[in-house]
Amino acid sequence: MDAAAAAEDAAAFAANGDAEDFVFEEMKFVREKFHPVRVCSTEDAAEEMEQMGHAFFMFRNVDQKEQVNVVYKRDAGGYGVLIPVDVAA
């Protein structure tokens, strides 16, 4: 299902609240990739991401007790950092 079709389904569901009109597509994972994660600063991670020509980069943040973070390019410009937090059950 493409983004436009998904948006139409979501709009139909929101309009009439009928869950049967909303179609969920099964997720299909086609690849697993194991990747070394190095310890560095957010700035170093962004630099490495740019050098590699990627839109995101996973790293162990030296400023976050070496917690795994992801730096990414924002569509609106600049960069963002994903920092995991525990969610209360």
Side-chain angles (χ1 to χ4, degrees), residues 9-64:
D9 281 352
F13 178 73
N16 65 19
D18 187 355
E20 292 180 23
D21 288 343
F22 192 77
V23 178
F24 289 97
E25 192 171 304
E26 185 176 330
M27 286 188 202
K28 181 178 179 184
F29 294 92
V30 295
R31 181 177 175 193
E32 266 188 355
K33 184 174 181 181
F34 296 88
H35 184 70
V37 181
R38 73 181 192 96
V39 176
C40 63
S41 68
T42 303
E43 292 78 14
D44 289 342
E47 249 180 61
E48 190 161 340
M49 177 189 67
E50 288 291 346
Q51 289 172 356
M52 294 170 65
H54 292 173
F56 65 92
F57 186 79
M58 183 171 49
F59 66 105
R60 291 194 176 275
N61 192 336
V62 70
D63 298 322
Q64 296 284 332

